[in-house]
Amino acid sequence: MKLENGRPENTNDRLEKEIRVYDLLDSLGVEYQRIDHEAAMTMAVCEDIDRVLEATICKNLFLCNRQETDFYLLMIRGDKKFKTKDISAQIHSARLSFAKEEYMEKFLDITPGSVSVMGLMNDKENQVKLLMDEDVLKGEYIGCHPCINTSSLRIRTQDMMERIIPAMHHTPQVVHL
């Protein structure tokens, strides 16, 4: 695994949703580094990637309320545990659970294993609320997938908060877990 600057030179074998991420970052003038790797389906695999990225690798959880009317993308540090009761009270929503795969694809155009904050660029109607654990914001860099799990990006936390998330027309709610 090798850290590269910016988008891949050859994008012929890349999915359109991945290319859209690079297009967004480039249009915003955001500097980023990329690493290509085997499919990263678990946080254990992401630990090897983390050593190369030297960034806060986030566990991204796609959640919903019991009625499946409110949807959330929760970003927490990969080494933290998640308990629904810890967050439910903070966001005033009872009975949070993992949302169905079809909602993930419908709203974020991503599949399980590749959930990423970058998927919010596909949520044009703001159906998904972004929740960020405060510890995610403490590192200089955030690591995330470009909507696929065979590449990972390293992006400055400041750029994520001040340029990228606002460009995706979302406002994060910082939570404490």
Side-chain angles (χ1 to χ4, degrees), residues 4-58:
E4 305 280 347
N5 287 319
R7 72 172 53 229
E9 288 181 28
N10 182 354
T11 57
N12 293 339
D13 295 332
R14 306 285 177 146
L15 295 177
E16 180 185 330
K17 59 185 166 185
E18 178 185 6
I19 302 305
R20 286 195 312 260
V21 171
Y22 303 135
D23 290 345
L24 173 66
L25 296 175
D26 293 346
S27 73
L28 296 172
V30 172
E31 290 183 21
Y32 58 97
Q33 288 76 42
R34 173 189 47 80
I35 186 172
D36 295 326
H37 47 74
E38 295 297 319
M41 297 296 287
T42 66
M43 288 309 298
V45 173
C46 289
E47 289 174 11
D48 292 334
I49 298 165
D50 184 25
R51 284 190 274 285
V52 177
L53 279 183
E54 296 179 343
T56 300
I57 298 293
C58 296

Side-chain angles (χ1 to χ4, degrees), residues 103-156:
Y103 291 121
M104 186 185 306
E105 292 180 31
K106 176 181 177 181
F107 299 139
L108 303 177
D109 190 22
I110 47 183
T111 55
S114 55
V115 179
S116 167
V117 64
M118 297 309 298
L120 292 174
M121 69 184 286
N122 301 311
D123 180 25
K124 303 293 187 200
E125 296 181 18
N126 288 25
Q127 297 291 316
V128 180
K129 297 172 185 82
L130 176 60
L131 307 174
M132 298 178 81
D133 181 57
E134 62 190 358
D135 288 340
V136 169
L137 304 175
K138 293 179 180 175
E140 183 178 359
Y141 294 98
I142 289 178
C144 63
H145 292 307
C147 295
I148 51 114
N149 66 357
T150 53
S151 290
S152 295
L153 303 176
R154 179 171 80 172
I155 300 171
R156 286 193 183 284

Side-chain angles (χ1 to χ4, degrees), residues 59-70:
K59 188 177 346 183
N60 296 278
L61 306 175
F62 188 58
L63 307 168
C64 68
N65 62 354
R66 181 177 52 180
Q67 298 83 6
E68 298 181 345
T69 55
D70 295 325

